[in-house]
Amino acid sequence: MKQTEQESFWSGDFGQQYTDRNTRDREEWDDFYVQNWGITKSEMNARFSADWSPDTRILEVGCNTGMQLRGLQDASFTNLYGVELQPYAVEKAKQTTQNINIIQGSGFELPFRDGFFDVVCTNGVLIHIAPDDLPKIMDEMVRCSRRYIWGFEYYSPELKAIPYRGNEGFLWKADYAALFQQRHPSLRLVKQELYPYVNASESGNVDYMYLLEKTA
C-alpha cells in the first residue's frame, strides 16, 4: 500500500522531532498525565484492564518508543507487541524496552493473522489518521483482535480538524469509539471515561479512554 500523506509526514523529520519531544522515562510518563489530566496513565490503564490475565496478548498500533507498553509490563502483562511506523522510534524503543515485541510497520497492513491478539489498542494515534483512511486502520485492528479494541484519543462528539504545530491536515478529534461501532456494528461499548485537561492552556479540551468488545 502506498504511504498516505500522514504516514510520509510522520516517517520523516517531523516524526523524529515528535519522538524526541515526547520520550519520557516511566516516572516522567505518569507525571505528564497527572499534570495534564490529574491522573496517572497507569491508573487509567488499570481501570480498563484490571480483569485481564497477565498473559493477555496485547498489540499497540503506533507504539512510538513503547511507553504505554512499558507501563503495561510494569502492571504485570507479559505478552506485549507493538507496531510503529517511524524507524527512528523503533530503534529508540529497542534501546529502552526488554521482552516486548516491537516491529516497524504500518497500521494499515498489520503483519499478524486474524484474531491473533486479545486486545488491539492505540494511544493518540487515530487522531493523526485522515478521516478517509480511518476505515482501513480500524478494519485492520478489528481483524487482528480476538476480543477487545482499546483506545485513548482526543475526544469530540463530532469529527473536527485542528491545526498541529502550524500544520493542517494532520490532527483531528472525534468520538472514535462511535466511529468504530458505525464501521463494525457488532462492537459493544464496554467502558468509556472522559478526561478533561486540568491545565489552563488546554481548558475545554477533553481526551477519553474507551474499550470495545467484539460480539460476533
Side-chain angles (χ1 to χ4, degrees):
M1 177 178 174
K2 182 180 178 181
Q3 275 200 336
T4 66
E5 181 182 3
Q6 288 73 31
E7 285 182 303
S8 297
F9 182 76
W10 287 104
S11 295
D13 292 342
F14 190 92
Q16 181 171 323
Q17 292 165 13
Y18 171 91
T19 294
D20 287 336
R21 192 169 59 247
N22 289 283
T23 297
R24 301 175 177 88
D25 63 26
R26 281 287 294 110
E27 184 175 348
E28 291 172 334
W29 182 66
D30 270 336
D31 285 347
F32 174 79
Y33 278 82
V34 171
Q35 292 166 17
N36 281 278
W37 298 279
I39 181 175
T40 67
K41 187 64 180 301
S42 297
E43 176 58 27
M44 289 182 190
N45 290 341
R47 292 181 179 186
F48 284 74
S49 62
D51 295 333
W52 301 348
S53 66
D55 63 350
T56 297
R57 187 179 290 162
I58 302 172
L59 170 68
E60 183 181 8
V61 179
C63 66
N64 202 258
T65 58
M67 289 181 291
Q68 166 75 346
L69 293 170
R70 280 184 285 155
L72 292 172
Q73 190 175 55
D74 287 349
S76 299
F77 291 102
T78 59
N79 208 352
L80 301 170
Y81 293 71
V83 169
E84 169 55 41
L85 178 69
Q86 187 195 130
Y88 177 76
V90 173
E91 288 306 310
K92 287 186 73 77
K94 290 178 178 179
Q95 296 167 15
T96 57
T97 63
Q98 291 184 328
N99 301 316
I100 297 175
N101 305 288
I102 296 178
I103 64 172
Q104 195 274 328
S106 170
F108 294 117
E109 295 179 297
L110 295 174
F112 303 101
R113 68 175 182 269
D114 296 1
F116 186 68
F117 298 96
D118 301 298
V119 183
V120 178
C121 68
T122 61
N123 291 269
V125 169
L126 299 182
I127 58 175
H128 297 300
I129 305 296
D132 287 347
D133 295 324
L134 277 173
K136 176 60 176 174
I137 193 168
M138 288 180 167
D139 289 353
E140 277 292 272
M141 291 176 66
V142 171
R143 179 185 67 78
C144 289
S145 174
R146 183 183 67 83
R147 187 171 184 185
Y148 291 119
I149 300 294
W150 183 26
F152 181 75
E153 304 285 350
Y154 291 178
Y155 175 78
S156 172
E158 304 294 334
L159 180 68
K160 182 179 180 181
I162 50 180
Y164 186 66
R165 293 183 170 263
N167 297 280
E168 301 287 344
F170 297 100
L171 184 60
W172 294 264
K173 54 184 177 180
D175 185 346
Y176 290 98
L179 294 178
F180 263 113
Q181 289 181 293
Q182 290 170 21
R183 181 76 178 171
H184 295 276
S186 63
L187 290 173
R188 177 180 71 92
L189 183 63
V190 177
K191 185 178 179 67
Q192 175 175 296
E193 289 189 3
L194 300 180
Y195 299 102
Y197 284 75
V198 298
N199 59 46
S201 65
E202 295 281 359
S203 178
N205 288 326
V206 177
D207 286 7
Y208 78 139
M209 186 172 282
Y210 56 86
L211 183 66
L212 299 162
E213 183 177 19
K214 298 177 80 169
T215 60

